[in-house]
Amino acid sequence: MSVVIETTIGDMTVDLFTEERPLACLNFLKLCKLKYYNYNLFHTIEQGFIAQTGDPTGSGDGGDSIFGVLQGPQKRFFQAENLPKIYHKNAGLISLVGAGKHLVGSQFFFTLGEDLESLDGQHCVIGEVVEGSEILRKLNEAIVDDKFRPYQDIRITHTVILDDPYADPRSFREPSRSPSPTPERLKNGRIAADEDIDDTDGKTMEEIQEMLAEREAKARATILEIVGDLPDAEMAPPENVLFVCKLNPVTTDDDLEIIFSRFGKVKTCEVIRDRKSGDSLQYAFVEFDEKKACEAAFFKMDNVLIDDRRIHVDFSQSVAKIKWRGKGRGVEGDSRSLDFNNLRSSKRENQDTRNQTSGRRRRVEYSRDRRRTRSRSRKRSGISSVERMKAGEEYHHKHENRKRFSRPRSRSSDCKRSSYGENSRERQAGYSGKYHTSKEGNGKQALHKRDKNTHARRTYEKRLSRKADQRNLERHQRGVYSKESKEKKSRKYKKKSSPSSSSSSSSESSSETESSSGSDSSSSSDDTSSTSSSVTSSSAEEHQKKKVIRRNVQNKKREIEKHRK
């Protein structure tokens, strides 16, 4: 999808962005096919900015879109695409002129500079110049007036469509040949493109001689440029550098800098020396920060005595320190000179710079994230080792509680479980280890395996390691201990009460045999002894019960402390 645009100064080939701007490219292609742009004038040319054309009247206010040409002036403008966004970043882009709210017509322009951000969002970029960068340079160097209108006419002579992917709209008729120029299209011209210009007309002999001298100087400069002695034929030497000669070999850089610094700030001061011997060649270059200081030194330092020598001062004519990009590419640091011969390379450089900036942004973001993580790690490292251990144990306990509460548990009083093959749900949940507590063996916990399978044995060991099972076992064990202790205590109480009752019966029998007469004193002594024995036995039982309660309380406290640890 390319178009060749032939002008009075040369030909250009343009590639169109048909995928990104289909409607705008259709408008441009059909106008070229209709020979609408033939003999159109470049009515506005701004150096380093744009070169605008596309108006048949040449005034800059006319022009209709293809829809206006076919359907009437009510459709002079149409709304072009604005997405995806294409920016005016490079020289050599072709863009339709916008009339506001993304409305465009027939006028278009070529960009002659880079990074034209003021044009973004207002005009529609539809393509780029692939061949004919020399024509862009000629457009950029055109002589214009105060209103940026060129003195000598530059016109489009013909347009050739190399590929047209769009179908022709209704009522569209392609002309059989290129139309001849009409007086309306040639009305706003100044000097015709093929008209010879007499530079000597109306000038005196002195002015003509100056003009001829300038031409000779330019011719010599072009020869030096061809040879390689000059970076550019139109390059002028710097205006803030002085050439100082006839120096004494003893004079140094510091001496000259001190002498010339009274006129202004000196950037550099260098006495030229021989490479091998290092001896002074008796001339130097003094560079000032300002042009005024350089002019003052030129008028006052010529023929001045320095180290018993009369020096000579003149403006420098050397361009040795100016870095040259190459033939036709200009000088480094000169923003005006744009390399139109290498537009593709400049686009690649711009793309590389964009990639570099994006890479730098990513690196900056990555370094910020690294700093944040380091600051967090430093905050964590400020915690002592004991606090870390405690925090780890708390996290471990929380994690275990989540696991424990996530599984269903059967709450039976004696902690008995069903057999391994009875319930598949318990098998999936991990309840394969079966155990129970036996009431035999003095209250000791006895574990009985009901399945000899290895998998059941492993799950059984895991089950024992859980705190929930240990708690259930301890609770059950407490109940067994309490029952056995009660039985033991009751037996002990019976054993203790039996000798006391036998002694009381023997005393009663002896007292009956001795006191056959039935004296009141013996009967009263027996009653007191029986009452005293009953009181002592009841007090002992209460004391032992209190001891048992205290032991149980102490055991519970110890268990609670163990669980807390």
Side-chain angles (χ1 to χ4, degrees):
M1 281 59 87
S2 301
V3 178
V4 178
I5 300 174
E6 299 176 2
T7 66
T8 55
I9 57 176
D11 302 340
M12 291 181 288
T13 305
V14 177
D15 280 352
L16 299 178
F17 303 146
T18 54
E19 294 182 359
E20 293 85 357
R21 303 286 188 265
L23 191 61
C25 291
L26 182 143
N27 173 60
F28 182 75
L29 282 172
K30 298 308 174 186
L31 288 174
C32 291
K33 197 172 183 179
L34 200 62
K35 309 301 178 184
Y36 188 81
Y37 292 124
N38 285 18
Y39 304 104
N40 281 10
L41 178 69
F42 280 89
H43 53 80
T44 303
I45 298 176
E46 294 187 43
Q47 187 176 9
F49 191 53
I50 60 169
Q52 185 173 341
T53 182
D55 181 11
T57 62
S59 61
D61 299 328
D64 297 335
S65 67
I66 188 63
F67 307 105
V69 172
L70 298 176
Q71 301 177 14
Q74 67 274 10
K75 292 190 177 181
R76 179 185 175 187
F77 300 105
F78 70 97
Q79 193 169 10
E81 300 88 355
N82 59 344
L83 293 174
K85 292 182 179 180
I86 304 174
Y87 300 101
H88 298 79
K89 293 254 178 190
N90 304 315
L93 295 175
I94 180 171
S95 182
L96 291 177
V97 178
K101 297 182 180 180
H102 306 291
L103 296 175
V104 297
S106 64
Q107 293 192 38
F108 64 93
F109 60 84
F110 295 97
T111 57
L112 303 177
E114 296 178 345
D115 298 327
L116 305 177
E117 297 178 356
S118 60
L119 303 175
D120 296 338
Q122 298 179 5
H123 309 285
C124 180
V125 180
I126 60 171
E128 62 179 349
V129 176
V130 179
E131 295 178 0
S133 56
E134 294 179 357
I135 311 305
L136 292 175
R137 182 190 293 173
K138 290 180 181 179
L139 285 171
N140 194 40
E141 294 173 354
I143 301 171
V144 296
D145 59 3
D146 296 337
K147 296 181 180 179
F148 305 105
R149 192 177 185 86
Y151 286 108
Q152 190 170 12
D153 295 345
I154 301 173
R155 295 181 180 271
I156 298 174
T157 57
H158 193 61
T159 54
V160 180
I161 299 172
L162 301 180
D163 187 13
D164 185 8
Y166 303 108
D168 295 334
R170 293 180 181 179
S171 69
F172 179 85
R173 292 181 182 179
E174 184 180 358
S176 59
R177 63 180 183 86
S178 296
S180 57
T182 59
E184 293 179 356
R185 296 204 174 189
L186 301 177
K187 181 176 62 176
N188 290 320
R190 290 184 172 179
I191 301 172
D194 56 350
E195 185 178 350
D196 293 332
I197 300 173
D198 188 7
D199 297 334
T200 62
D201 189 14
K203 291 184 178 180
T204 61
M205 289 299 294
E206 294 178 356
E207 292 176 352
I208 292 170
Q209 287 178 358
E210 287 180 1
M211 186 177 65
L212 293 174
E214 287 180 359
R215 287 183 180 179
E216 289 179 0
K218 285 184 179 179
R220 291 172 185 172
T222 51
I223 292 169
L224 291 174
E225 182 185 0
I226 293 168
V227 173
D229 291 346
L230 276 180
D232 194 358
E234 296 181 358
M235 180 179 292
E239 296 180 350
N240 61 337
V241 180
L242 286 179
F243 171 72
V244 183
C245 61
K246 297 182 181 180
L247 292 172
N248 193 322
V250 182
T251 307
T252 61
D253 302 341
D254 297 333
D255 298 336
L256 281 179
E257 186 175 358
I258 292 167
I259 294 167
F260 281 90
S261 61
R262 66 191 181 96
F263 299 100
K265 185 179 179 182
V266 177
K267 279 188 175 181
T268 58
C269 182
E270 183 181 3
V271 175
I272 309 303
R273 298 180 180 276
D274 187 28
R275 291 183 180 179
K276 294 182 179 179
S277 61
D279 297 334
S280 174
L281 298 178
Q282 301 178 11
Y283 70 92
F285 293 95
V286 181
E287 183 180 2
F288 289 89
D289 193 13
E290 295 179 355
K291 182 181 175 182
K292 291 182 180 180
C294 184
E295 291 176 354
F298 168 72
F299 288 113
K300 293 184 179 181
M301 291 301 295
D302 190 24
N303 204 21
V304 172
L305 189 67
I306 297 176
D307 293 335
D308 298 332
R309 290 285 182 94
R310 294 281 180 182
I311 65 170
H312 176 67
V313 178
D314 197 358
F315 287 103
S316 174
Q317 302 296 320
S318 175
V319 291
K321 286 192 175 182
I322 299 174
K323 293 183 179 179
W324 185 36
R325 290 176 179 172
K327 183 180 178 182
R329 299 183 185 179
V331 181
E332 284 188 7
D334 189 6
S335 59
R336 295 180 182 177
S337 60
L338 181 65
D339 186 12
F340 288 98
N341 290 329
N342 296 316
L343 291 176
R344 291 286 181 90
S345 62
S346 64
K347 291 172 186 175
R348 289 174 186 171
E349 289 175 359
N350 291 330
Q351 189 67 27
D352 294 337
T353 53
R354 290 175 202 164
N355 296 332
Q356 287 176 2
T357 53
S358 62
R360 287 173 186 171
R361 289 174 186 172
R362 291 173 186 171
R363 289 170 189 169
V364 169
E365 291 175 358
Y366 177 71
S367 62
R368 287 177 183 170
D369 295 336
R370 287 287 299 275
R371 288 172 187 171
R372 289 174 185 171
T373 53
R374 285 176 183 173
S375 62
R376 290 174 185 171
S377 63
R378 285 172 185 171
K379 289 178 182 178
R380 291 175 183 171
S381 62
I383 302 170
S384 62
S385 60
V386 178
E387 291 177 351
R388 284 183 192 171
M389 291 290 290
K390 286 182 180 180
E393 288 178 357
E394 288 178 0
Y395 177 78
H396 184 66
H397 287 310
K398 287 179 183 178
H399 192 62
E400 283 187 349
N401 291 331
R402 286 176 186 173
K403 285 184 177 180
R404 180 165 51 82
F405 288 115
S406 63
R407 293 187 177 187
R409 293 183 299 174
S410 62
R411 298 177 180 177
S412 58
S413 59
D414 56 352
C415 295
K416 289 186 178 181
R417 301 289 186 269
S418 60
S419 62
Y420 179 73
E422 285 180 358
N423 198 348
S424 61
R425 291 182 184 175
E426 291 182 355
R427 191 187 307 168
Q428 291 176 1
Y431 293 108
S432 57
K434 310 302 175 184
Y435 60 91
H436 66 86
T437 56
S438 63
K439 295 180 181 180
E440 298 176 0
N442 296 325
K444 291 182 180 180
Q445 185 178 2
L447 301 174
H448 299 280
K449 297 176 185 177
R450 293 189 177 181
D451 197 346
K452 293 182 179 180
N453 195 358
T454 56
H455 178 66
R457 185 175 62 191
R458 289 174 184 172
T459 52
Y460 162 71
E461 291 174 354
K462 289 180 182 178
R463 182 65 182 168
L464 282 178
S465 64
R466 292 177 188 160
K467 290 187 177 181
D469 300 331
Q470 290 178 1
R471 288 174 185 173
N472 290 331
L473 289 172
E474 288 173 357
R475 287 175 186 172
H476 184 69
Q477 195 172 1
R478 287 176 211 158
V480 173
Y481 277 127
S482 61
K483 287 180 183 179
E484 290 181 354
S485 60
K486 287 179 182 179
E487 290 177 358
K488 285 182 179 180
K489 288 170 185 177
S490 62
R491 289 173 187 172
K492 289 178 181 178
Y493 297 152
K494 287 179 183 178
K495 288 179 182 179
K496 288 179 179 179
S497 61
S498 60
S500 62
S501 61
S502 61
S503 60
S504 62
S505 61
S506 60
S507 61
E508 287 176 359
S509 60
S510 60
S511 62
E512 285 177 357
T513 52
E514 288 174 357
S515 57
S516 57
S517 59
S519 61
D520 294 330
S521 61
S522 61
S523 62
S524 63
S525 64
D526 293 332
D527 294 332
T528 55
S529 63
S530 62
T531 54
S532 63
S533 64
S534 62
V535 170
T536 54
S537 62
S538 62
S539 62
E541 288 177 359
E542 291 177 357
H543 185 66
Q544 288 178 356
K545 286 180 182 180
K546 289 180 181 179
K547 284 183 178 181
V548 171
I549 291 166
R550 289 173 185 170
R551 288 175 186 172
N552 293 332
V553 171
Q554 289 178 357
N555 292 330
K556 287 182 180 180
K557 287 182 179 180
R558 290 172 184 171
E559 290 173 0
I560 290 166
E561 289 177 357
K562 286 181 181 179
H563 287 301
R564 286 179 180 174
K565 290 178 181 180

